[in-house]
């Protein structure tokens, strides 16, 4: 088969479409012929040499895909050759075929089967962090940073579907589309202070849950923006790894800070999250309350261009790489 390889870490030009060995399924895995794969920030970090795949995972980038099952392992139940699926991956999505643990498979919901490639990573990341970690409830105020990203567009929709008031940071050009997805209060982070805006729209109370992709550069302001009892969940470090945390401010608010990642979790934990998404998020997609937001599709051979686009932050929603 062919896959996007990274012979040497570097810029987008480091991505090379090359012949590689076919994947061999384990007894609890299936082989999926890939139709499309979503592009995620983690792929960019892997390309740069900063985010190696966990032990045992495919060396090729790609944390989610959609396609058709072509081989079923001997211990797999509930899945059959010919089924259209999408899947959460630890790697390997930028390829013609990929081996997937059965517990990380999802049926294609009520959407285009190519667009479904952009769902598993964002749905699992957002649901696990907003619901399991952040304990988001109806009536809460949710602040989503990076609202125009793949994670952001999904978090805005899920937060609104769960009954939260959604505040989000994004460039002003993306605000109208974010309102269409359910954001009540988009904030232009380049022109407005998001702490002041969150306090304004909550009458000084603050956000109950903050989903943060920035890390260090936003840590202090995020704590300032939290409500009493608020939960800050950090899932990215685009603004750096290290910052000073005012524990006094955290104690005063009886607030909490959590930091999570998905890719390196044990298979059993991933399977639990995937099942939770199937049970709680897929019905929202079937009902039309949440949908995949796709900026554009590019051929897999144009993976370098897809990475440039995601690095530019000019996209809205997911960028997908397609085969065939």
């Amino acid at each position: 088969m062919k896959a996007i390889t990274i012979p040497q870490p570097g810029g987008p030009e480091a991505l090379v479409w090359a012949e590689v060995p076919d994947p061999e399924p384990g007894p609890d895995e299936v082989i999926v012929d890939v139709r499309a794969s979503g592009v995620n920030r983690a792929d960019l970090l892997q390309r740069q040499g900063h985010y190696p795949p966990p032990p045992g995972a495919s060396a090729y980038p790609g944390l989610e895909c959609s396609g058709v099952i072509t081989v079923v392992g001997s211990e797999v139940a509930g899945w059959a050759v010919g089924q259209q699926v999408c899947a959460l991956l630890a790697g390997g999505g930028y390829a013609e075929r990929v081996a997937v643990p059965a517990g990380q498979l999802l049926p294609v919901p009520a959407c285009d089967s190519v667009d479904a490639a952009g769902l598993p990573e964002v749905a699992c990341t957002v649901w696990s962090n907003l619901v399991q970690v952040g304990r988001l409830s109806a009536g809460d105020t949710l602040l989503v940073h990076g609202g125009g990203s793949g994670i952001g567009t999904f978090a805005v929709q899920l937060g609104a579907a769960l009954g939260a008031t959604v505040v989000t940071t994004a460039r002003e050009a993306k605000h109208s589309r974010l309102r269409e997805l359910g954001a009540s209060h988009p904030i232009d982070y380049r022109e407005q202070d998001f702490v002041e805006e969150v306090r304004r729209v909550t009458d000084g109370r603050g956000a109950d849950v903050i989903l943060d992709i920035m890390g260090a550069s936003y840590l202090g302001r995020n704590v300032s923006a939290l409500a009493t009892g608020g939960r800050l969940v950090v899932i990215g470090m685009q603004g750096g790894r290290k910052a000073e945390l005012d524990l006094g401010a955290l104690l005063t608010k009886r607030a909490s800070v959590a930091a999570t990642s998905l890719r390196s979790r044990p298979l059993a934990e991933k399977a639990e999250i995937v099942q939770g998404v199937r049970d709680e998020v897929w019905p929202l997609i079937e009902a039309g309350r949440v949908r995949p937001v796709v900026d554009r599709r590019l051929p897999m051979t144009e993976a370098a261009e897809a990475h440039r686009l995601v690095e530019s932050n000019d996209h809205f929603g997911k960028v997908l790489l397609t085969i065939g």
Side-chain angles (χ1 to χ4, degrees), residues 225-312:
L226 282 174
T228 299
R231 287 83 69 194
L232 166 61
V233 186
V234 180
I235 61 170
M237 298 181 292
Q238 293 181 37
R241 298 166 55 99
K242 297 181 180 180
E244 185 174 288
L245 175 62
D246 185 344
L247 291 175
L250 208 61
L251 285 166
T252 299
K253 293 188 173 185
R254 303 188 299 280
S256 63
V257 178
T260 75
S261 65
L262 180 60
R263 187 182 193 183
S264 60
R265 291 194 188 200
L267 291 178
E269 289 187 21
K270 289 184 181 179
E272 179 184 350
I273 291 170
V274 168
Q275 188 61 52
V277 165
R278 185 170 182 174
D279 292 342
E280 298 188 20
V281 179
W282 257 221
L284 297 174
I285 298 175
E286 298 290 342
R289 299 178 66 190
V290 177
R291 61 179 175 85
V293 178
V294 176
D295 182 274
R296 72 192 69 184
R297 303 172 177 180
L298 294 170
M300 188 70 72
T301 53
E302 296 182 20
E305 180 58 29
H307 276 217
R308 291 186 187 99
L309 177 61
V310 172
E311 285 177 330
S312 74

Side-chain angles (χ1 to χ4, degrees), residues 5-27:
T5 62
I6 309 172
Q8 293 291 331
E13 68 282 353
L15 301 173
V16 178
W17 184 237
E19 292 278 353
V20 299
D22 282 332
E24 294 291 336

